[in-house]
Amino acid sequence: VESIGDGGGALVGVEDRPTGRTSLDDLYRDEFERMVRLAYLLTGSSAVAEDLVQDSFVRVQQKWGSIRQPSAYLRTSVVNACRAHHRTTKRHQARFPELVTEMVTPETPMLLDALARLPYRQRAALVLKFYEDRSEADIAETLKCRPATVRSLVHRGLATLRRVITP
Amino acid sequence: MTESTERALRVALIEAAEQVHVDVPPGPEPAAWRVEPPRRTRRPLLVAAAAVLAIAAVVGVVAVRHDGGPSVGPAAEKEVRSDSIPLTSADLVVWMKVDASDEQVTAVRDLLDASSDVESFSFDDRDAAYQEFSRIFSCNPDLVDSISPQDLPESFRIVAAAPETVAALRAALIGEVGVDSISTGADAAREPTRPNAGCAPQGP
């Protein structure tokens, strides 16, 4: 794949990209799989996850000339896309409860089952913290909230999970 | 218990994520990777400052014209999605101060959730306000670019348990730290309704 984006001064800031990662297709190669796994944890569907990540890369491509931190922008875009998907699913669930099932399956571990039932922002905060190992500041940036809110989301999410897994 | 829950969650997440088989599909054709020229630099601080001042004038417009959009997922028993309570159906609308802390917002949320005077309520976060702000000022991208969601206030829409409880509810809320003002949904809905309100007077 032709390398692009590192010429013409089109890239603005590459501070979150290690040396050598200067093109959009590098970002695609390096981040696609990880983003799909993240999206899977947020949606419960690998097919949906792949679609949302593809869409997010299109958004990154459209903004490539102006975004300062492509990886962070991509992550935020994926999390937002998952949130939009979550809302749509919830709306459909409310209207057609017999047709739209929860995302969990019989083989879903109990903890993930419980995670899937959390409000979206709590779920996202927990996944970003405990799967992606993101800092509170990063998570706050991704979820567009304050670090204190992240702490609250994590605290409340964990409290709910504890109630579920504690007999 | 907390640590064990965190450990269990971390392990469960990693194991679940590893179960997903991901074939990285070929990316779009190189020709599709069109690189747009960088956007022109934001106007200097003067515009940003003017925009922030403008917010104070349009916060009401932003708020009253918002009839849905992103919201935080319901976190309390009586909390419903932000698009569940149309403005005209809200008995009260509580505007938080722009600099209200999360704790202050949580205190209001807890008060609403615990109050027998409340039937249900919804919460509009800063992102929702920002989306509406962006829509209202779509004719002024510089202004929109100068504002972030953090510059806009959060708000609650409340449906009272009974009409006679509205006054008591208002009295209880107005004393809460972090609350900027309270209006009825009907009053808010009477605010400007013309398309692109704010664009003409707020233009550069």
Side-chain angles (χ1 to χ4, degrees), chain B residues 167-178:
Chain B
L169 193 54
R170 177 196 286 266
L173 287 163
I174 198 65
E176 279 295 302
V177 180

Side-chain angles (χ1 to χ4, degrees), chain A residues 3-96:
Chain A
S3 176
I4 64 155
D6 50 356
L11 296 181
V12 181
V14 290
E15 54 267 50
D16 72 332
R17 285 176 283 173
T19 304
R21 289 180 57 191
T22 55
S23 71
L24 186 53
D25 37 293
D26 282 342
L27 182 74
Y28 185 85
R29 254 193 318 271
D30 293 349
E31 299 286 355
F32 183 85
E33 182 174 339
R34 192 167 68 89
M35 288 298 107
V36 170
R37 295 188 193 285
L38 170 64
Y40 168 72
L41 292 175
L42 294 174
T43 63
S45 163
S46 56
V48 169
E50 288 201 19
D51 284 347
L52 296 180
V53 171
Q54 288 278 18
D55 291 345
S56 295
F57 268 100
V58 170
R59 279 191 287 277
V60 169
Q61 178 261 321
Q62 290 168 342
K63 296 282 187 179
W64 183 255
S66 57
I67 55 180
R68 296 183 61 83
Q69 298 182 332
S71 290
Y73 186 95
L74 174 65
R75 185 170 61 251
T76 300
S77 180
V78 168
V79 171
N80 286 342
C82 292
R83 177 164 61 173
H85 171 78
H86 174 76
R87 285 192 182 124
T88 303
T89 304
K90 285 291 180 189
R91 276 198 295 273
H92 290 169
Q93 227 167 14
R95 293 183 62 188
F96 310 107

Side-chain angles (χ1 to χ4, degrees), chain B:
Chain B
M1 186 59 203
T2 298
E3 285 185 9
S4 64
T5 305
E6 292 180 4
R7 271 199 306 274
L9 178 59
R10 200 180 294 273
V11 169
L13 289 174
I14 292 171
E15 287 179 350
E18 290 302 317
Q19 288 174 8
V20 181
H21 177 72
V22 184
D23 282 326
V24 181
E29 290 299 312
W33 286 140
R34 289 176 294 116
V35 178
E36 294 183 346
R39 300 168 70 183
R40 56 197 174 90
T41 308
R42 279 185 180 181
R43 291 191 179 185
L45 285 177
L46 184 60
V47 169
V52 170
L53 289 176
I55 290 174
V58 302
V59 153
V61 176
V62 169
V64 299
R65 290 174 60 84
H66 177 61
D67 277 319
S71 71
V72 178
E77 287 184 6
K78 293 179 182 174
E79 187 171 356
V80 296
R81 285 204 325 263
S82 69
D83 56 357
S84 300
I85 302 178
L87 195 58
T88 51
S89 300
D91 293 302
L92 293 174
V93 181
V94 177
W95 310 110
M96 302 302 295
K97 293 177 180 173
V98 172
D99 60 353
S101 68
D102 293 311
E103 289 73 17
Q104 290 166 351
V105 172
T106 299
V108 172
R109 175 182 272 115
D110 291 344
L111 187 155
L112 295 174
D113 201 41
S115 172
S116 58
D117 294 336
V118 173
E119 179 181 292
S120 63
F121 68 94
S122 65
F123 176 67
D124 284 355
D125 63 11
R126 296 174 195 277
D127 283 348
Y130 182 73
Q131 280 199 351
E132 188 65 3
F133 182 89
S134 302
R135 191 179 66 78
I136 293 170
F137 290 94
S138 58
C139 62
N140 193 341
D142 279 344
L143 175 62
V144 173
D145 281 354
S146 302
I147 301 302
S148 76
Q150 299 307 314
D151 299 317
L152 299 171
E154 295 167 318
S155 62
F156 292 90
R157 295 181 188 188
I158 303 164
V159 175
E164 57 270 24
T165 66
V166 173
L169 193 54
R170 177 196 286 266
L173 287 163
I174 198 65
E176 279 295 302
V177 180
V179 170
D180 182 61
S181 62
I182 299 176
S183 61
T184 64
D187 283 342
R190 278 196 289 271
E191 291 294 319
T193 55
R194 66 186 186 279
N196 282 330
C199 273
Q202 301 300 332

